[in-house]
Structure formats: structure tokens, C-alpha cells
Amino acid sequence: MNNNTQGEDHQPKKESLDSRFNQTLRNVQGLLKGRSIPGKVLLTRRLELFDNSGIQHQSPSYQRSYSQNDAARSNDADKYMEGGVRNTNNSDSNATVNKLRSSASNIETSAREVKSVMGARSTDSARVLKFTKELSGQMIVVERLRELAWSGVPPYMRPDVWRLLLGYAPPNSDRREGVLRRKRLEYLDCVAQFYDIPDTERSDDEINMLRQIAVDCPRTVPDVAFFQQAQVQKSLERILYTWAIRHPASGYVQGINDLVTPFLVVFLSEYLDGSIDSWSISELSSANISNIEADCYWCLSQLLDGMQDHYTFAQPGIQRLVFKLKELVRRIDEPVSRHVEDQGLEFLQFAFRWFNCLLIRE
């Protein structure tokens, strides 16, 4: 009689454990479908309206709120697991409890991963959608693109966005391919005309300038192994020398070599995957290298055209900016300004390189 009673008491307990285990499995399935996380966070996906063109105004974003029902189920399960471990010696019950524990642990891990990944992805996808919408039009509104780019550009979109913002690529998509092809051929003609010639055809000033560039190229970003590759330094040399010959008002000035490096990295990223530490320019064809050099050359030219007095005699543009910085510090933080003066320091002594290299070395 007692044995029958114990068997009957055990049966509901086992069924209860099985039902809780099944409920946990259903919760895990809901988690994988993006619905709920038992006892922790409820992820809800907020869908935005579409305009007539079918392009979403904002990317899907995720909000989180605590689910009291799920929390209650989780707390009850935790209490039951503790009581079950203390009060039962049945092997089937122990196995079920262990499964429940394992499932709860997996849910906790999945919850942490989902929260971090979804938070980043929702923000990134929103920006990607906005850039995609701006870049997909036949005529790009550069001012709108510039405003959008102020907070950063998705890495794989930077080559196209930089070409547009610097005025190298035209905003009209119908003309863009033809203009880029023509400008790249023009760069190759300049290299053949000015660089690929013997020193006997150069003036003494041009020889000295080429030698200075050849000295500075190995010093460019010396702590990054990629820039120490011989082919990379040769590309830098061609870009810098060709630019200097075509801009005799300033010629080559130390510091311009640093300004090329962001362009080189961004345009190389169209052809090379992974981290820059694993890049090898020897993997690229000569045609691709020529296109990258041309894009760097023209973007550098567009950049420096607006600040060429930074590199003419006495560099008046830099001196003007240093003076503005000094006045700005004096108005915003007078104690710091007074301390610099008391120490006999000139802003030009420490701020010159900031403006000469546009903070690239800092």
C-alpha cells in the first residue's frame, strides 16, 4: 500500500518536472526566434514604415523590457530545482533537474550574446540603410552625404563616400565611371612623364626633392609593418613626387607623406580583406595598384587644394591656425593659457605638427 502511494506521489512530481523542462525548451525556441528570454529580457522588434520607394526610413531596432511572467517562471524553476536536489533521490528526477539547469545556463549565455550583438547591429544597420539610400540615387546630394558622414562612415562604404565628398568622383552616377577611368589614365600619363624618367632629365631641385621623398617614405607610419613593404613605399614615392611636380608653388614638404596614408588604407580596403597586419600589396595586380595610386593622388590633390598655403614658403596657413588655437585656448581656458605664457612656451612649438600632419601622427 505504501509503495503504491509513493509511486502515485512520484508520478505528479515527474510530470511536473517534465512539463517545466518542456516549457524551458519552448522558451529557448522563442529566444532563437527573437521573442523572449525567460526571466530576463523581452526583446521586441520595432518595424518602421516604408515609403513609396520601398526603402525603409529607419532600420529595425530593438527595445528591451522586463517580462514579469517570464521572471516568475524563472524564479519558480530556480526554487524547484533547489528543492528537488534536496528532497529527491530518484535518478530520473535528478537527470531532469540537470537538464533544466543546463538549459537555464545556456539561456543566460544566449541572452548576453543577443543583447550585445543586437544593440550594435541595430545601430549599424540604421546607418548603413541611410548611407545606402543616399548613395543609391542617380544624383547624390553631397551636402546631405557630408552631414550624414559627420558621425562616421561604415568602413566598406568609405572609398565611395570619400571620392564623392572630396569632389574626385562626380555626384551624377551616370558620369562617375567614365570620369574615374579618365582621371586614372591621366595619373598614369603623369607618372610616365615625370617619374619614369632617368635623373639626367631632371633638374637639380627635382633630384633633391625625389631624394627627400625617398628618405621620408620609410619613415611613414614606421610602427605598421604594411607600410614597410617595398612596393607600398614605391607607391607612396610615385604619388608624392607626381603631386609635388604638378604643384611647384609648394613642392614636396615633409608631412605631406603622412596625409597620403589614410587614403592608401581606405582604397586598399576595396581589394584586401582582413586586418592591415595581414595585408600584402603583392597580392594585387599592377592595374589595381595603379587605380589605388590614382585615387590617392587625386584625393590628396583635392584635399591640399583647399590648404596649399600650409606648405608654401613660411607656411602662413599653419601659422594662422596656430594663432587661432592660441586665441581659442585663451577664451575658453584662461588659466591654461596663462600657465603656457608663464612657462615661456609658444603654441607653435607643440601645435605645428598637429596642423602640418592634420593630427595623423597624434
Side-chain angles (χ1 to χ4, degrees):
M1 184 69 175
N2 292 336
N3 291 338
N4 293 335
T5 303
Q6 290 177 357
E8 291 173 359
D9 292 340
H10 172 67
Q11 188 67 24
K13 186 180 295 185
K14 183 176 180 180
E15 290 177 357
S16 177
L17 281 170
D18 289 343
S19 65
R20 291 182 183 278
F21 179 66
N22 291 333
Q23 178 63 42
T24 301
L25 290 180
R26 285 194 294 273
N27 289 336
V28 172
Q29 291 172 349
L31 167 67
L32 296 177
K33 292 178 182 177
R35 288 204 296 267
S36 64
I37 300 170
K40 289 299 175 185
V41 179
L42 181 67
L43 296 179
T44 58
R45 183 168 182 172
R46 177 164 52 85
L47 299 178
E48 301 297 332
L49 296 176
F50 288 77
D51 59 18
N52 294 332
S53 64
I55 298 177
Q56 202 170 355
H57 290 298
Q58 293 182 0
S59 69
S61 60
Y62 292 86
Q63 296 176 325
R64 61 181 189 176
S65 59
Y66 287 94
S67 170
Q68 295 179 353
N69 293 334
D70 284 342
R73 285 199 300 270
S74 179
N75 292 335
D76 290 343
D78 290 342
K79 291 177 181 178
Y80 192 85
M81 282 193 295
E82 293 175 2
V85 171
R86 288 194 303 267
N87 299 329
T88 181
N89 294 322
N90 185 277
S91 59
D92 292 339
S93 297
N94 286 338
T96 306
V97 169
N98 289 335
K99 288 181 182 179
L100 194 58
R101 272 184 173 169
S102 177
S103 299
S105 176
N106 291 336
I107 290 169
E108 294 286 345
T109 303
S110 300
R112 286 193 294 269
E113 294 176 354
V114 167
K115 284 190 289 184
S116 61
V117 172
M118 284 185 173
R121 284 181 180 173
S122 61
T123 303
D124 292 345
S125 59
R127 293 194 58 74
V128 168
L129 277 176
K130 290 179 181 178
F131 274 102
T132 301
K133 185 175 180 179
E134 289 296 330
L135 295 173
S136 61
Q138 182 178 359
M139 179 63 72
I140 292 173
V141 181
V142 176
E143 286 305 318
R144 205 156 57 206
L145 182 63
R146 180 176 288 110
E147 182 179 352
L148 182 60
W150 183 252
S151 298
V153 182
Y156 69 95
M157 292 183 171
R158 284 175 191 162
D160 290 332
V161 172
W162 284 24
R163 292 186 191 104
L164 288 163
L165 292 182
L166 285 163
Y168 167 42
N172 189 327
S173 61
D174 294 336
R175 297 179 53 238
R176 198 169 302 145
E177 186 177 348
V179 169
L180 291 180
R181 187 185 306 112
R182 177 174 57 81
K183 301 291 275 185
R184 287 165 177 172
L185 289 174
E186 185 179 343
Y187 169 76
L188 289 178
D189 290 340
C190 291
V191 170
Q193 181 180 354
F194 302 121
Y195 183 83
D196 293 333
I197 58 175
D199 285 348
T200 54
E201 298 182 20
R202 306 183 205 273
S203 67
D204 290 341
D205 289 341
E206 291 171 350
I207 290 174
N208 291 333
M209 184 168 60
L210 182 57
R211 286 175 179 169
Q212 183 62 57
I213 292 172
V215 169
D216 286 348
C217 283
R219 299 173 178 171
T220 305
V221 200
D223 53 337
V224 177
F226 173 76
F227 284 97
Q228 303 310 306
Q229 297 178 25
Q231 286 180 283
V232 174
Q233 294 182 7
K234 203 66 177 175
S235 291
L236 284 172
E237 189 176 295
R238 278 192 292 265
I239 295 167
L240 293 170
Y241 183 77
T242 304
W243 184 89
I245 290 294
R246 297 197 66 185
H247 296 80
S250 62
Y252 173 73
V253 177
Q254 287 180 306
I256 297 179
N257 56 311
D258 291 286
L259 303 185
V260 183
T261 55
F263 296 120
L264 191 60
V265 171
V266 165
F267 294 132
L268 275 166
S269 68
E270 288 186 290
Y271 302 90
L272 298 174
D273 297 325
S275 169
I276 190 174
D277 296 329
S278 63
W279 285 2
S280 175
I281 199 172
S282 60
E283 298 175 6
L284 303 179
S285 66
S286 57
N288 286 340
I289 292 175
S290 295
N291 288 342
I292 292 167
E293 286 185 20
D295 291 354
C296 291
Y297 169 81
W298 288 113
C299 286
L300 177 70
S301 298
Q302 293 293 108
L303 175 68
L304 294 182
D305 281 351
M307 47 184 279
Q308 196 165 351
D309 61 350
H310 286 209
Y311 304 102
T312 54
F313 178 74
Q315 299 178 276
I318 291 180
Q319 295 198 46
R320 185 170 59 251
L321 288 177
V322 171
F323 177 77
K324 286 183 179 180
L325 176 64
K326 181 178 180 179
E327 289 299 303
L328 191 63
V329 173
R330 184 180 61 80
R331 290 201 305 268
I332 293 175
D333 200 332
E334 187 176 355
V336 169
S337 176
R338 189 164 54 249
H339 178 72
V340 170
E341 291 180 4
D342 292 343
Q343 298 302 315
L345 287 175
E346 292 292 337
F347 274 72
L348 195 64
Q349 292 175 296
F350 57 84
F352 176 83
R353 193 174 78 174
W354 296 355
F355 295 111
N356 190 53
C357 303
L358 299 184
L359 297 174
I360 289 176
R361 293 190 188 181
E362 318 308 324

